[in-house]
Amino acid sequence: MEYFHVRFFRKITPSLVGLNHPKLNIMTVQTLPFSNLIEIDRRSATPVFRQIANGLMNLIRSGKLRPGYQLPASREMAGMMKLNRTTIVAAYEELRIQGWTEVVGKKGMFVSKQLPVINPKTFKAAALDGSVSSEKPDFYRQVSFTRPPFQELKPYQLIINDGYPDQRIAPLNSIFNRYKALLSRAYLHGMLMTGNSAGSLALRTELAAFLSKTRALSIGSENVLVTHGAQLAIFTAASMVLKPGSRVIVGDLNYVLADKLFEQLGATLIKVKVDQHGMDVDEVERICNDSRPDLLYIIPHHHHPTTVTLSAERRMKLLDLIRRYKLPVIEDDYDYDFHYENSPILPLASADHQGYVLYIGSISKTLAPTIRLGYLIGSEDFIWQASKLKQLVEIRGDVLFEESVAQLFSTGEMQRHIRRSVKLYRQRRDQFCDLLAASIGDMAHFTVPQGGMAVWTTFDMEYSIPELSKRLAVKGIYMNDGSLYRYNNDVNGIRLGFASLTDEEVLKFTKALKEVK
């Protein structure tokens, strides 16, 4: 519904004629200076009669036109507004249809005593006497997060993120242009209504070919499930495996949203040490010897948050454990393509794992965080079942968008973008680490990452990351306070993303960090 802007003037005392007023017992017609109170814009696309109706609605809302009072006759109102009487009749009819006014016999049009105004209701629980209760309803499950105090968001000149790509260099225009072109093709309209919940066939086919070539995965389109981001892929895979009471092996330092997700599904976390060579596989073996867990979640490349890579020796032993104990595994390989020193080791999913490894990747990490696309790789039957589970939450994805991204792969533009990005991000990593060491080398420690988009930086215990974050905020720079990674008293670290920062932005950040330390 459109509302017309109303000017507010001093209240005019109405003349009294007509209708029986409940208190005065006389007839009351409000003859306000309507031509001054209701502004008409003849250049507007809104018809004049509707502008009149909207203006009168606003006068009723503001109390200037009161319930039970009579409006001027249509001929009189037309004279006051210098409009055709037909326009006023149409406006009055619009008010009547919407319930703002009512016709009383042959007396005329009156403001309704039961106005169609929706009064907002509180979501707070009501006590028996109708007052707001201090008790909270507890019919829903709680998510295992600590609720922070409300903070009003403020604009920042510079944001240091967790490790995201630079969307300024991504081929987003190619996606949008392809999307517009596909939108005009009539034969695709049926696909919009009947698309497979596993995702666009074109994108699944291109992903299968790309992953087979770059990661040695022996898969076809039937092994690929496309999701809105890798997080949804983790959720889908975990939901297929876990139930309340399940046990999941995770790193002692781990991707926190995965941990929270497993706990929300009712699982218990078994934490295993992660060192400079990745997860301690010997400890995984000891756990399996005692009682095989229901799932292992591992990030073998550029572990989150520490950025370390699972060594080749540990990888081989872990594959043996997977086969021996029939251990289901979620392998989160969110930024495999971004390796700078040498060729990355192949994923666990590329080896003989007898179908127990579920492989997850992200297109968002390749293009831009706003491009919410990820994928889950598994056996044909698992993916079919997972697509039916996904369908319960999301009937189908954006088919045209997925088709548009598929074209990036089919034309080779995605592959060229990855090669350019790897070269650029390596340069940015080197500059970032050099300047970071120069600015805070006396108070923090880090290892130059072999890949990925962030540097895991641990500060000496006497330095407070939350305090540094506050001081940087005063300078217009956002850096998170490290609370996501503060699992125990031994951790005083933070991920500092470098891939999305230009040389000038890196210099600005490291200079400011040096000033506030």
Side-chain angles (χ1 to χ4, degrees):
M1 182 187 297
E2 296 178 349
Y3 297 104
F4 192 77
H5 175 69
V6 179
R7 292 176 181 164
F8 292 97
F9 293 80
R10 63 184 179 86
K11 187 174 181 181
I12 308 296
T13 303
S15 61
L16 305 177
V17 288
L19 175 69
N20 288 326
H21 190 279
K23 291 185 179 180
L24 301 180
N25 197 31
I26 53 179
M27 305 294 282
T28 306
V29 177
Q30 289 199 257
T31 55
L32 301 173
F34 292 102
S35 60
N36 291 333
L37 292 172
I38 301 175
E39 186 175 317
I40 303 299
D41 182 1
R42 297 187 181 276
R43 296 171 298 178
S44 172
T46 303
V48 173
F49 84 89
R50 187 156 288 145
Q51 293 185 41
I52 295 293
N54 291 340
L56 290 171
M57 290 178 201
N58 284 335
L59 291 175
I60 294 171
R61 288 193 189 92
S62 68
K64 290 181 170 59
L65 282 175
R66 298 171 59 187
Y69 279 55
Q70 184 178 4
L71 294 177
S74 58
R75 192 179 303 277
E76 181 183 356
M77 179 67 87
M80 294 167 62
M81 298 296 298
K82 296 182 174 54
L83 294 171
N84 189 292
R85 182 180 173 224
T86 305
T87 302
I88 301 301
V89 171
Y92 278 9
E93 180 64 10
E94 181 77 8
L95 290 171
R96 186 192 67 79
I97 291 173
Q98 295 195 32
W100 292 93
T101 61
E102 56 186 348
V103 177
V104 179
K106 297 182 180 180
K107 295 180 180 179
M109 184 74 70
F110 298 87
V111 178
S112 176
K113 294 181 181 179
Q114 300 294 327
L115 298 176
V117 178
I118 299 175
N119 295 318
K121 303 296 183 182
T122 178
F123 273 85
K124 296 180 180 178
L128 293 177
D129 60 1
S131 62
V132 176
S133 171
S134 60
E135 296 183 5
K136 296 179 180 179
D138 58 358
F139 60 88
Y140 52 88
R141 295 173 61 185
Q142 300 292 314
V143 179
S144 56
F145 278 96
T146 300
R147 183 172 181 173
F150 173 77
Q151 292 180 332
E152 184 176 356
L153 296 178
K154 57 180 290 187
Y156 290 94
Q157 299 171 14
L158 182 61
I159 294 178
I160 308 303
N161 57 49
D162 188 69
Y164 296 138
D166 190 343
Q167 65 183 32
R168 292 169 292 192
I169 67 170
L172 301 184
N173 284 336
S174 296
I175 298 175
F176 301 145
N177 291 337
R178 178 65 172 172
Y179 192 100
K180 288 189 292 185
L182 291 175
L183 194 61
S184 64
R185 297 186 181 181
Y187 77 90
L188 287 172
H189 294 174
M191 294 174 56
L192 296 177
M193 301 302 295
T194 60
N196 193 321
S197 57
S200 154
L201 178 59
L203 181 55
R204 288 186 289 125
T205 300
E206 291 296 337
L207 279 172
F210 176 75
L211 297 175
S212 296
K213 182 177 180 180
T214 60
R215 293 152 173 79
L217 300 183
S218 180
I219 58 173
S221 61
E222 67 277 5
N223 302 112
V224 182
L225 175 73
V226 176
T227 60
H228 271 158
Q231 185 67 26
L232 183 55
I234 298 172
F235 176 82
T236 304
S239 298
M240 292 284 293
V241 176
L242 301 178
K243 58 182 181 295
S246 294
R247 298 158 63 240
V248 183
I249 296 178
V250 298
D252 60 340
L253 275 174
N254 195 45
Y255 176 44
V256 67
L257 291 183
D259 285 353
K260 298 294 185 183
L261 189 160
F262 302 145
E263 290 177 330
Q264 189 68 17
L265 291 174
T268 299
L269 303 184
I270 306 172
K271 298 195 174 184
V272 171
K273 181 70 176 177
V274 174
D275 57 26
Q276 67 270 27
H277 301 296
M279 183 176 283
D280 185 346
V281 177
D282 291 336
E283 180 62 22
V284 173
E285 183 177 25
R286 283 191 289 271
I287 294 170
C288 291
N289 279 333
D290 291 339
S291 175
R292 194 209 74 173
D294 299 281
L295 180 67
L296 164 66
Y297 173 81
I298 188 169
I299 310 172
H301 276 106
H302 321 142
H303 172 263
H304 194 290
T306 66
T307 75
V308 299
T309 294
L310 186 71
S311 68
E313 181 182 358
R314 290 186 179 183
R315 174 179 177 270
M316 296 305 296
K317 181 170 183 177
L318 182 56
L319 282 167
D320 177 63
L321 295 177
I322 293 169
R323 293 188 292 263
R324 194 192 327 160
Y325 292 100
K326 302 186 184 305
L327 176 63
V329 175
I330 291 180
E331 181 179 13
D332 187 350
D333 212 2
Y334 65 98
D335 62 358
Y336 175 92
D337 292 302
F338 299 96
H339 210 78
Y340 309 127
E341 298 305 324
N342 45 52
S343 298
I345 61 173
L346 289 175
L348 298 168
S350 68
D352 177 18
H353 53 80
Q354 299 178 356
Y356 284 96
V357 176
L358 304 171
Y359 185 77
I360 286 172
S362 171
I363 297 176
S364 306
K365 284 290 186 179
T366 302
L367 293 174
T370 52
I371 302 295
R372 303 309 305 154
L373 280 179
Y375 50 87
L376 167 62
I377 309 298
S379 68
E380 181 178 355
D381 182 63
F382 182 91
I383 293 300
W384 187 89
Q385 297 285 349
S387 71
K388 296 307 162 188
L389 174 64
K390 174 174 173 271
Q391 193 174 39
L392 299 179
V393 181
E394 178 185 66
I395 297 176
R396 69 187 64 83
D398 187 336
V399 178
L400 294 188
F401 188 76
E402 292 173 9
E403 294 272 329
S404 302
V405 173
Q407 183 182 239
L408 292 184
F409 286 97
S410 65
T411 61
E413 189 168 3
M414 178 70 85
Q415 293 85 332
R416 291 190 294 273
H417 168 68
I418 291 173
R419 289 194 294 270
R420 290 193 300 267
S421 298
V422 168
K423 182 178 179 180
L424 176 63
Y425 295 165
R426 176 175 180 168
Q427 295 170 354
R428 289 180 174 180
R429 178 205 63 175
D430 293 344
Q431 186 208 27
F432 186 87
C433 290
D434 287 346
L435 291 175
L436 191 64
S439 61
I440 59 169
D442 57 339
M443 58 187 279
H445 312 274
F446 64 87
T447 299
V448 178
Q450 293 183 338
M453 303 181 190
V455 176
W456 173 244
T457 307
T458 56
F459 287 78
D460 295 338
M461 282 301 184
E462 60 266 30
Y463 292 99
S464 167
I465 297 177
E467 185 59 33
L468 290 174
S469 177
K470 291 177 183 177
R471 294 173 186 172
L472 286 171
V474 174
K475 292 180 172 290
I477 299 175
Y478 172 81
M479 182 185 79
N480 79 64
D481 64 3
S483 58
L484 281 176
Y485 320 113
R486 203 170 296 116
Y487 304 115
N488 54 58
N489 294 330
D490 296 330
V491 177
N492 191 35
I494 186 174
R495 279 172 64 94
L496 299 175
F498 60 81
S500 60
L501 301 178
T502 64
D503 292 350
E504 294 76 14
E505 290 167 340
V506 170
L507 186 60
K508 180 178 181 179
F509 167 63
T510 53
K511 180 180 178 182
L513 191 58
K514 184 176 182 178
E515 293 171 351
V516 302
K517 68 179 183 180

